[in-house]
Amino acid sequence: MKTFINWSGGKDSALALYKARQQHFSVEALVTTVSQVQERITMHGVRTSLLKQQATALQIHLHTVVLPDDGGINTYDELMTQKYLQLQGEGFTHSVFGDIFLEDLKLYREKILAPTKLLPLFPLWKMNGEELLQQFFSLGFKAIVVCVNENYLDKSFCGKMLDENFISHLPAGVDVCGENGEYHSFVFDGPGFFQPVKFITGEVVTKTYAAPKSDDDCFTVAQQQVNFHFCDLLPV
């Protein structure tokens, strides 16, 4: 079964890839959205040069979907549908996602695949978060935290290794896997990697984004801006 994975470069993607292969799916492509202007993985802020090194280390072909910075959800849907139809035309039959428990996101994934004949796979669906991370660690994956949402975590968490020490210091109310967008990671070694991805950590940069409006427009002025901290990883 010719399969591709929706790849962010983070821990959920890496573990979903591992589990899909355990289930005998032939994962032959990574599909990643990148910023047209920044040339980085969207949301994670990792340079595309490191993304390419990651794909080389995994020996899996990389497909990037370039998103304009001024594009909205309709642009995203259109570009992703085009990519999915292209992959279907190349003989792919299944699409892997690393979602864990967000029902609305799962439904959205299924909806965006609807115009195609591709079948979605969710290898991590409904896994217990702590058990998921213990599997991630015990399998030998290595990852670094590259982005944190200031609404959940302060700047000091950004750039730390994703390990048991990191998890033990998470504040109450933060999902251990960051499923609500609390943090994002970059996996640089582990099962399936033929070599580690080499990098050094650079500066931590803070960027402010507008929070999405709710249907009843209940956001206060103070809530309309969200700060994200990004740890820049530099290829070596």
Side-chain angles (χ1 to χ4, degrees):
M1 290 173 283
K2 193 174 180 181
T3 304
F4 66 88
I5 181 168
N6 295 268
W7 182 260
S8 69
K11 64 170 179 20
D12 298 338
S13 291
L15 192 57
L17 170 61
Y18 175 84
K19 289 188 172 293
R21 284 175 158 173
Q22 278 192 318
Q23 296 171 23
H24 307 295
F25 288 93
S26 177
V27 182
E28 300 180 26
L30 312 175
V31 176
T32 308
T33 57
V34 300
S35 164
Q36 183 179 47
V37 175
Q38 301 297 327
E39 296 186 343
R40 294 172 183 263
I41 300 174
T42 54
M43 294 304 300
H44 290 223
V46 175
R47 296 168 183 258
T48 54
S49 56
L50 283 172
L51 169 64
K52 292 174 182 177
Q53 287 188 37
Q54 197 181 45
T56 298
L58 289 165
Q59 295 188 1
I60 303 178
H61 184 66
L62 174 66
H63 291 253
T64 57
V65 179
V66 180
L67 301 179
D69 283 20
D70 58 353
I73 188 63
N74 291 335
T75 300
Y76 175 87
D77 289 352
E78 180 181 347
L79 292 173
M80 292 305 295
T81 299
Q82 289 175 5
K83 175 57 69 175
Y84 289 159
L85 288 170
Q86 174 198 332
L87 291 167
Q88 179 182 288
E90 294 176 7
F92 286 86
T93 60
H94 291 75
S95 174
V96 178
F97 299 93
D99 301 301
I100 304 172
F101 64 75
L102 296 178
E103 296 280 356
D104 56 343
L105 189 54
K106 182 174 183 287
L107 289 172
Y108 172 73
R109 308 287 198 207
E110 294 168 340
K111 178 182 176 181
I112 201 171
L113 283 182
T116 76
K117 296 180 181 178
L118 295 166
L119 299 176
L121 296 173
F122 298 90
L124 310 184
W125 190 246
K126 294 301 183 181
M127 282 187 64
N128 175 273
E130 293 185 359
E131 292 178 4
L132 185 153
L133 279 175
Q134 286 305 314
Q135 286 189 32
F136 184 82
F137 298 146
S138 64
L139 286 167
F141 283 107
K142 297 180 181 179
I144 182 171
V145 176
V146 292
C147 172
V148 300
N149 182 334
E150 193 178 80
N151 284 353
Y152 300 99
L153 297 171
D154 65 50
K155 188 176 181 179
S156 66
F157 284 87
C158 195
K160 296 205 177 278
M161 295 298 297
L162 179 57
D163 53 22
E164 293 186 1
N165 182 60
F166 176 88
I167 299 304
S168 69
H169 286 85
L170 290 176
V174 171
D175 180 67
V176 70
C177 288
E179 183 73 346
N180 298 306
E182 293 95 331
Y183 70 89
H184 298 296
S185 60
F186 177 77
V187 177
F188 58 89
D189 200 5
F193 283 74
F194 288 83
Q195 62 198 31
V197 179
K198 296 182 180 180
F199 63 88
I200 58 174
T201 56
E203 62 179 333
V204 175
V205 177
T206 301
K207 294 189 177 183
T208 302
Y209 298 92
K213 284 189 175 183
S214 64
D215 291 338
D216 57 5
D217 197 24
C218 66
F219 283 101
T220 66
V221 173
Q223 292 173 318
Q224 287 178 351
Q225 302 295 322
V226 181
N227 289 332
F228 288 85
H229 305 294
F230 296 90
C231 180
D232 194 15
L233 305 183
L234 307 174
V236 296

